Amino acid sequence: MEPTVQASSAVTPATTPPGTVSSSGSEAENQSKLKTLLGILRRFIGVTDIASVRFSLPSQLLEPVPNLEYWNYLDRPETFASIGDAEDELGRFLGVLRFWFTKDLKFIKGKPCKPYNSTLGEFFRCSWDVQETLPPLNSESRPSSRKSATSKTTTTSTKTSARVSFLTEQTSHHPPVSAFYIDCPEKGISANGYDQISAKFTGTAIKVTPGVHNLGIFITLHNRGDESYQLTHPVAQLGGLIRGTLTVYVEDFCFITCRKNKIRCILQYLGDSWIGKAKHRVEGVIYRYDNDEEAEYEQIKKVPAKKILAKIDGSWISKLYYTLTGSSEKHVLIDLDPLLPIQKECPPREVQLPNESRRMWEGVSEAIHAKDYSRATQLKCDIEERQREKAAARVEKKTEWKPRFFEDMSERIGQPHLSEAGKEALKGLNAGDYKLDEYELN
């Protein structure tokens, strides 16, 4: 029931909750870890995708958090629950953007880290009870002098509660791919997708790109005629290895598209400039398109001015603004400065299954928090060896592994389908009923 990232707090091994990224260790210790990591990574210079290479990091270089728990997009679940509340198309699109800029808050408020590698069939589930959702964003384009008091944008939250549930399962080990599903039944909103990254070490940084199965996040508003949005991920770089301070850099384009309403957004993340421009800047346009060619624009400058509905600018680690066409007034899209990741609610330990992330890795996590790295490494190796034995047994028996909670990946590219077991598990999460039947994981 703890956030994946704590902005600042000392870790006490005996009391550290599961799923917590450690913030312990002196600066010298952390720099020593990064030097060790850099030495390992240098062996992979020129390797196309180190994410798919079979190698195991020593436990002292890992953070005590399972990969499936770490990779979720719900650091601020109230932004997700509020997406469909606006009555107009542009207002809902702005709600999607508000969610987009909070989904990686863990990297902004915490530190990038290396979680455990997920095992085939491992799964994680949690939920959030959102007590206050956010109001729709103002999408009326009128000069400030003509606005009445009633048309002023509201920035406070509203007293509308909703439960947001998250289910994810490792559906492939080579390459490593996980499927996820997010559900908010009170608001009629769901999202799904595949998480897969491709990573390449450049010599000074790790370049991270979406894998072939990762086509982004797919959001559906069921109460709006199944209005759907596809949100693609930009390329990111993890730098600071040589300096000893890890930092995430983004310099790329990404796209958000609603095909039903023919509205699209191009976001450009701008790199750090040597001439002194502000860091971590992003700019973009929301525009309406009429044909397939316009729906494939990849640069902001390609979009005709008459098609633009709003412009986006700001810092993706601080404050984001939007300006509606026909007005020069900037509106706050989201202010990230006061925000921290929200606590998640996980099933009690006694009802978790053996292949559920926190239970599977709890011994390793406890040992890392206690800085007993020898024991952590041994427990980690035991888990990995069991996986190799199961894989060898499948080859010998000529049996094909299938996920429990999701359909096979080949059934739907980019968007995983829940299996009947997945639907039941999600239904239980939404109701606060965590009981699942145990099953043999071959």
Side-chain angles (χ1 to χ4, degrees), residues 274-401:
W274 62 272
I275 59 175
K277 287 188 178 180
K279 296 181 179 180
H280 306 297
R281 289 204 59 80
V282 62
E283 60 184 34
V285 294
I286 304 172
Y287 70 98
R288 194 179 294 278
Y289 64 88
D290 295 317
N291 54 57
D292 291 342
E293 181 183 353
E294 293 176 352
E296 298 298 326
Y297 287 148
E298 294 187 349
Q299 293 182 322
I300 293 173
K301 63 183 181 182
K302 293 276 190 179
V303 181
K306 64 181 180 180
K307 299 282 187 179
I308 296 175
L309 303 176
K311 294 183 178 181
I312 309 295
D313 72 282
S315 168
W316 60 268
I317 68 168
S318 182
K319 293 181 182 179
L320 284 304
Y321 302 90
Y322 67 97
T323 304
L324 299 168
T325 296
S327 171
S328 60
E329 181 177 357
K330 283 189 175 183
H331 301 274
V332 175
L333 179 68
I334 186 75
D335 182 0
L336 301 176
D337 290 340
L339 302 182
L340 291 171
I342 295 289
Q343 292 183 355
K344 61 177 74 71
E345 179 183 329
C346 291
R349 166 63 174 78
E350 59 270 18
V351 300
Q352 292 181 28
L353 299 188
N355 61 318
E356 200 153 350
S357 292
R358 284 193 175 183
R359 181 173 168 183
M360 172 176 279
W361 295 99
E362 64 180 350
V364 182
S365 296
E366 289 169 359
I368 291 177
H369 280 302
K371 297 188 177 181
D372 187 350
Y373 297 120
S374 177
R375 175 168 170 76
T377 298
Q378 182 58 57
L379 292 171
K380 174 174 168 289
C381 289
D382 290 346
I383 293 173
E384 293 167 346
E385 181 57 31
R386 286 196 295 271
Q387 297 306 307
R388 285 189 283 267
E389 290 172 356
K390 290 178 180 179
R394 287 193 297 272
V395 172
E396 183 179 347
K397 296 177 183 178
K398 297 181 179 179
T399 58
E400 183 179 351
W401 183 87

Side-chain angles (χ1 to χ4, degrees), residues 237-249:
Q237 291 204 56
L238 186 62
L241 290 165
I242 295 176
R243 296 195 310 271
T245 304
L246 289 181
T247 308
V248 177
Y249 300 93

Side-chain angles (χ1 to χ4, degrees), residues 66-85:
N67 183 65
L68 295 181
E69 177 173 357
Y70 187 69
W71 287 107
N72 74 77
Y73 303 109
L74 295 163
D75 289 337
R76 298 300 300 196
E78 76 277 18
T79 62
F80 180 80
S82 306
I83 287 174
D85 288 351

Side-chain angles (χ1 to χ4, degrees), residues 143-338:
S144 300
S145 60
R146 294 174 57 191
K147 287 185 180 178
S148 65
T150 58
S151 69
K152 189 176 181 180
T153 303
T154 306
T155 57
T156 57
S157 57
T158 58
K159 295 286 185 179
T160 304
S161 61
R163 188 174 180 88
V164 179
S165 296
F166 175 71
L167 175 67
T168 180
E169 180 181 20
Q170 191 74 11
T171 53
S172 171
H173 192 53
H174 295 292
V177 182
S178 60
F180 69 87
Y181 199 97
I182 305 169
D183 194 30
C184 182
E186 290 95 339
K187 291 301 193 78
I189 307 174
S190 67
N192 62 351
Y194 286 110
D195 278 328
Q196 179 198 10
I197 62 169
S198 176
K200 183 174 183 179
F201 182 56
T202 65
T204 57
I206 300 173
K207 185 178 181 180
V208 180
T209 60
V212 294
H213 294 281
N214 187 343
L215 301 184
I217 305 170
F218 295 83
I219 298 174
T220 302
L221 307 183
H222 303 286
N223 295 342
R224 302 290 181 180
D226 288 338
E227 186 174 285
S228 62
Y229 300 80
Q230 181 181 6
L231 300 74
T232 66
H233 299 289
V235 174
Q237 291 204 56
L238 186 62
L241 290 165
I242 295 176
R243 296 195 310 271
T245 304
L246 289 181
T247 308
V248 177
Y249 300 93
V250 184
E251 186 175 0
D252 194 22
F253 290 88
C254 66
F255 311 94
I256 300 174
T257 306
C258 178
R259 290 177 176 81
K260 180 180 180 180
N261 299 331
K262 292 190 174 182
I263 299 178
R264 190 167 185 260
C265 178
I266 302 174
L267 290 175
Q268 182 178 9
Y269 289 79
L270 304 172
D272 298 340
S273 172
W274 62 272
I275 59 175
K277 287 188 178 180
K279 296 181 179 180
H280 306 297
R281 289 204 59 80
V282 62
E283 60 184 34
V285 294
I286 304 172
Y287 70 98
R288 194 179 294 278
Y289 64 88
D290 295 317
N291 54 57
D292 291 342
E293 181 183 353
E294 293 176 352
E296 298 298 326
Y297 287 148
E298 294 187 349
Q299 293 182 322
I300 293 173
K301 63 183 181 182
K302 293 276 190 179
V303 181
K306 64 181 180 180
K307 299 282 187 179
I308 296 175
L309 303 176
K311 294 183 178 181
I312 309 295
D313 72 282
S315 168
W316 60 268
I317 68 168
S318 182
K319 293 181 182 179
L320 284 304
Y321 302 90
Y322 67 97
T323 304
L324 299 168
T325 296
S327 171
S328 60
E329 181 177 357
K330 283 189 175 183
H331 301 274
V332 175
L333 179 68
I334 186 75
D335 182 0
L336 301 176
D337 290 340

